[in-house]
Amino acid sequence: MRNAQLTNEVRDPSARLVITETATEVAIAPDRGPARTFHPVGKEEVLQLDGVAVVTTATREAGRLVVRYKVDQGRELRYTYSRIASPPQLVVDVQFLERGKGDSVKRVYELD
């Protein structure tokens, strides 16, 4: 269930994201569905996705936000959010990892 839900989100991504940051958390709200709040301190947290518990870990790495979703044993989805200054864009790189290897998908959002 976790795998299918997270994979479907990559296949059919939100057209728009709203990101709100404070010193201790980052909330990412898609154009459909509730916001997800992450605490980028490198500790595992449990996030509820439509009643399904998913273990996540968020960190900041070289100016980027990296969120890891543990899907199954040895499998994870890694989202990397980064900003580009010119032109102003948000780049979301999603990697499907199985034992450290896998495919990736990149989505670019124009910033308002």
Side-chain angles (χ1 to χ4, degrees), residues 2-112:
R2 280 185 296 256
N3 188 29
Q5 183 175 0
L6 291 167
T7 300
N8 288 340
E9 289 178 3
V10 177
R11 286 186 181 142
D12 186 21
S14 293
R16 183 179 169 97
L17 296 176
V18 175
I19 299 176
T20 307
E21 294 185 66
T22 69
T24 59
E25 65 184 30
V26 178
I28 301 174
D31 55 2
R32 56 187 184 267
R36 296 181 185 164
T37 301
F38 304 99
H39 301 92
V41 294
K43 293 184 180 179
E44 288 187 349
E45 296 184 286
V46 176
L47 185 66
Q48 292 293 324
L49 302 179
D50 293 332
V52 177
V54 179
V55 175
T56 64
T57 305
T59 56
R60 294 186 192 274
E61 299 175 10
R64 301 173 296 168
L65 174 68
V66 179
V67 178
R68 292 175 173 86
Y69 293 85
K70 287 189 178 180
V71 179
D72 289 314
Q73 183 73 21
R75 298 176 75 193
E76 75 175 39
L77 228 56
R78 183 184 306 158
Y79 279 73
T80 303
Y81 299 85
S82 56
R83 291 184 184 164
I84 297 175
S86 183
Q89 296 175 327
L90 171 69
V91 177
V92 181
D93 185 26
V94 183
Q95 294 177 298
F96 295 85
L97 298 174
E98 187 163 349
R99 305 212 188 321
K101 298 179 183 179
D103 295 323
S104 66
V105 175
K106 187 180 289 189
R107 175 100 172 142
V108 178
Y109 292 89
E110 301 298 324
L111 298 179
D112 296 334

